[in-house]
Amino acid sequence: MGRNIVTPNIDSIVSLAKRRGIIFPGSDIYGGLGNTWDYGPLGVELKNNVKQYWWKSMVQQNSNIYGMDSSILMNPKVWEVSGHTNNFSDPLSECKVCHSRYRSDELIDPTKCLKCEGPLTPERQFNLMFKTFVGPLEDEAAQIWLRPETAQGIFINFKNIVNSMHPKLPFGIAQIGKSFRNEITPGNFIYKTREFEQMEMEFFVSPDTDAEWYEYWVNTRFNWYSSIGIREQNLRLREHSQKELAHYAKATKDIEFLFPWGWGELEGIANRTDFDLSTHDNGSEGDLKYFDQIRQDHYFPYVIEPAAGVDRTVLALLLDAYDEEPLNNEKNEVRSVLKLHPKMSPITVAILPLSRNDLLVPKSKTLFERLQNQFKCSYDDAQSIGKRYRRQDEIGTPLCVTIDFETVNTDDAVTVRHRDTMEQERIPSDNLVQYIQDQLDLYV
Ligand code: ATP
């Protein structure tokens, strides 16, 4: 079965996501809050699949990568020393007539408003960190920031991890968590929001090996996106020019996806040198040098950082998997289907009795309870079987299991229907668990 050639319109994804319980507009019943989104029952499964698979490939499968989970709220000195308080900003200009706001570096003509062509104010730096207050008094002393990245939580725990786990270089520290940025131009659904989730790993290496580890992580992370089913034609690597490089980075490559509005970043891999450890060492009480027992030397390791976005990966998965296929039937129907990799699908197996019949329902429920222990399952007996297949196609369920009268009266076999080919097979229900497992194993 072919895959779509045209990247789908973002509106079809937004409406599918709402209709099918994947992602809802935030604060909906109060008229919404711009650019906030809530993950529904199926969306949270998809998002968890992304996070769990990242954790498995980074932490579980690498004995030298350690996981952690740091606080969102940190001592404000962390952000002063890291440079965020002064430098974590984007250039902002505002229209003097209609007051529309722009990120000046995104404008082709930074003097004219895109909406009303009015004159724009000269650009000023706008800090993207969200300010908040600890305790009841809103005074300066109690002012802190919501973290704009998870990385600093890792650097400030470097010594704790070295002292407790005694890792040898090279080793990594990984974490997944929420970050907050008061973006000037949020938008494009969950692509750019003010609250989002990151999956970041800081990989510490001896300074003479940084170039090779940088290449290693660029390739490994690029291949990871193929391994979750995103087609390579929609992925590319883009190297940052010298001008674009962050002040702490020696080299950076972005992994980009072809969104409907053009190429956009999913993940950045940066060679951050020893910038972070040495600045925190200078600015804090901590001694962040690493003692290399082989060399008998104290030094700051270099850091290679793959920093990815959970929400952008979810969006790329939805866009890449979405397909509309003519069914070539009398009604000229078109089915919409999410051809997700089964390990990303919110539901792996749907159990569908042919009808709401007194014989079929109990049999189906027993089967559902049995399969639920091994796979993510859903049970659905509402409406016609055709409509239920369409519903499962739209949420990307790779396998549907149908229980009919033959199952209960004659052969105790069920019909397994495959999402991508729509082919159906009859399988003895005793062999079903093994059969499903074999089908999932076919996907690498
Ligand atoms: P961009 O330039 O696209 O805003 P960035 O280069 O500032 O992103 P990084 O600081 O490298 O992003 O953050 C790592 C990852 O976190 C990004 O590749 C992206 O997937 C995700 N991310 C960053 N900002 C946002 C945001 N506002 N909304 C959703 N995801 C984000």
Side-chain angles (χ1 to χ4, degrees):
M1 195 64 56
R3 296 286 304 268
N4 62 295
I5 305 155
V6 183
T7 319
N9 179 317
I10 191 72
D11 295 336
S12 27
I13 297 295
V14 176
S15 95
L16 167 83
K18 181 168 180 184
R19 192 170 67 244
R20 292 292 182 216
I22 302 172
I23 300 167
F24 308 121
S27 309
D28 216 5
I29 62 165
Y30 284 101
L33 173 67
N35 300 294
T36 62
W37 300 93
D38 296 340
Y39 285 79
L42 298 179
V44 71
E45 296 294 341
L46 175 55
K47 195 181 186 194
N48 282 344
N49 289 343
V50 169
K51 292 194 282 184
Q52 281 160 9
Y53 186 61
W54 185 88
W55 196 262
K56 183 178 177 190
S57 5
M58 301 300 260
V59 181
Q60 186 183 326
Q61 296 180 334
N62 290 292
S63 52
N64 62 343
I65 300 184
Y66 301 82
M68 71 165 297
D69 187 17
S70 71
S71 298
I72 287 173
L73 307 179
M74 289 184 244
N75 188 313
K77 280 197 195 134
V78 172
W79 307 109
E80 255 167 56
V81 172
S82 66
H84 283 78
T85 317
N86 286 331
N87 301 322
F88 196 67
S89 50
D90 279 335
L92 165 76
S93 48
E94 193 175 323
C95 173
K96 289 181 181 165
V97 181
C98 75
H99 302 288
S100 294
R101 289 187 172 154
Y102 298 98
R103 246 179 82 169
S104 329
D105 57 342
E106 289 177 345
L107 293 170
I108 296 166
D109 179 355
T111 59
K112 226 193 265 170
C113 176
L114 286 178
K115 282 199 191 119
C116 74
E117 302 206 331
L120 297 182
T121 59
E123 70 177 43
R124 69 181 171 87
Q125 288 302 317
F126 173 75
N127 195 300
L128 301 182
M129 285 200 294
F130 275 101
K131 208 183 273 181
T132 190
F133 299 90
V134 168
L137 296 174
E138 288 197 9
D139 62 10
E140 276 285 305
Q143 183 193 299
I144 59 164
W145 309 97
L146 298 186
R147 69 177 177 201
E149 61 174 36
T150 59
Q152 298 305 320
I154 294 178
F155 294 125
I156 62 165
N157 278 290
F158 175 77
K159 209 67 193 183
N160 285 330
I161 288 180
V162 168
N163 289 342
S164 56
M165 309 305 289
H166 311 291
K168 300 276 168 291
L169 288 185
F171 69 89
I173 307 176
Q175 85 165 319
I176 300 176
K178 286 253 168 147
S179 292
F180 302 84
R181 296 181 189 179
N182 200 1
E183 301 281 3
I184 299 168
T185 51
N188 286 331
F189 192 28
I190 53 171
Y191 179 80
K192 187 171 281 210
T193 48
R194 296 191 169 104
E195 172 183 349
F196 54 97
E197 249 177 311
Q198 291 187 304
M199 308 182 281
E200 295 195 294
M201 197 268 290
E202 309 302 324
F203 197 72
F204 301 94
V205 303
S206 72
D208 48 342
T209 61
D210 60 320
E212 56 196 270
W213 279 114
Y214 171 68
E215 283 310 317
Y216 171 85
W217 282 112
V218 167
N219 294 330
T220 305
R221 293 302 307 149
F222 187 85
N223 293 336
W224 187 84
Y225 290 92
S226 309
S227 77
I228 59 171
I230 299 179
R231 289 166 296 168
E232 274 199 32
Q233 72 207 55
N234 285 333
L235 292 168
R236 75 169 189 191
L237 278 171
R238 190 182 67 80
E239 183 158 20
H240 283 207
S241 64
Q242 281 301 320
K243 222 172 76 190
E244 202 184 344
L245 278 181
H247 60 285
Y248 51 75
K250 186 166 147 188
T252 299
K253 276 186 188 161
D254 287 344
I255 299 169
E256 296 187 330
F257 177 79
L258 188 54
F259 288 97
W261 50 90
W263 290 97
E265 177 183 334
L266 291 177
E267 167 161 355
I269 298 102
N271 181 343
R272 297 177 72 116
T273 70
D274 62 357
F275 176 84
D276 307 275
L277 290 180
S278 60
T279 43
H280 283 302
D281 179 276
N282 259 334
S284 71
E285 308 275 291
D287 167 16
L288 301 190
K289 281 208 175 98
Y290 170 83
F291 178 61
D292 188 325
Q293 283 178 339
I294 299 166
R295 293 195 198 170
Q296 289 291 304
D297 190 13
H298 285 92
Y299 57 85
F300 295 117
Y302 269 37
V303 175
I304 311 300
E305 175 196 73
V310 178
D311 313 84
R312 283 189 194 177
T313 306
V314 168
L315 182 55
L317 281 168
L318 291 172
L319 286 162
D320 186 79
Y322 185 77
D323 211 354
E324 285 175 7
E325 284 176 357
L327 288 174
N328 299 325
N329 58 12
E330 286 145 26
K331 291 191 212 149
N332 279 331
E333 278 175 309
V334 173
R335 72 161 183 157
S336 37
V337 49
L338 281 183
K339 292 186 168 171
L340 290 169
H341 192 294
K343 71 182 167 218
M344 293 293 123
S345 296
I347 307 286
T348 313
V349 190
I351 320 298
L352 316 171
L354 190 63
S355 65
R356 262 191 202 154
N357 173 281
D358 287 349
L359 283 176
L360 302 187
V361 168
K363 174 85 185 161
S364 307
K365 288 204 167 150
T366 310
L367 193 61
F368 170 61
E369 275 157 27
R370 183 148 68 86
L371 293 178
Q372 230 183 355
N373 291 324
Q374 252 130 321
F375 309 104
K376 279 186 199 146
C377 296
S378 82
Y379 173 89
D380 185 6
D381 61 14
Q383 296 185 308
S384 75
I385 191 74
K387 282 203 173 127
R388 282 180 275 157
Y389 283 153
R390 289 299 96 77
R391 197 147 61 215
Q392 297 300 329
D393 285 345
E394 264 203 323
I395 61 168
T397 308
L399 298 169
C400 289
V401 172
T402 307
I403 292 86
D404 56 25
F405 290 100
E406 256 180 273
T407 316
V408 284
N409 293 331
T410 43
D411 60 1
D412 199 29
V414 294
T415 302
V416 177
R417 182 231 189 222
H418 297 256
R419 176 195 68 199
D420 295 353
T421 58
M422 292 190 281
E423 273 165 16
Q424 306 192 357
E425 283 178 90
R426 208 72 196 155
I427 307 292
S429 67
D430 280 349
N431 302 351
L432 192 57
V433 169
Q434 190 57 48
Y435 176 82
I436 294 170
Q437 195 52 59
D438 291 346
Q439 290 302 306
L440 299 178
D441 289 345
L442 293 178
Y443 291 84
V444 274

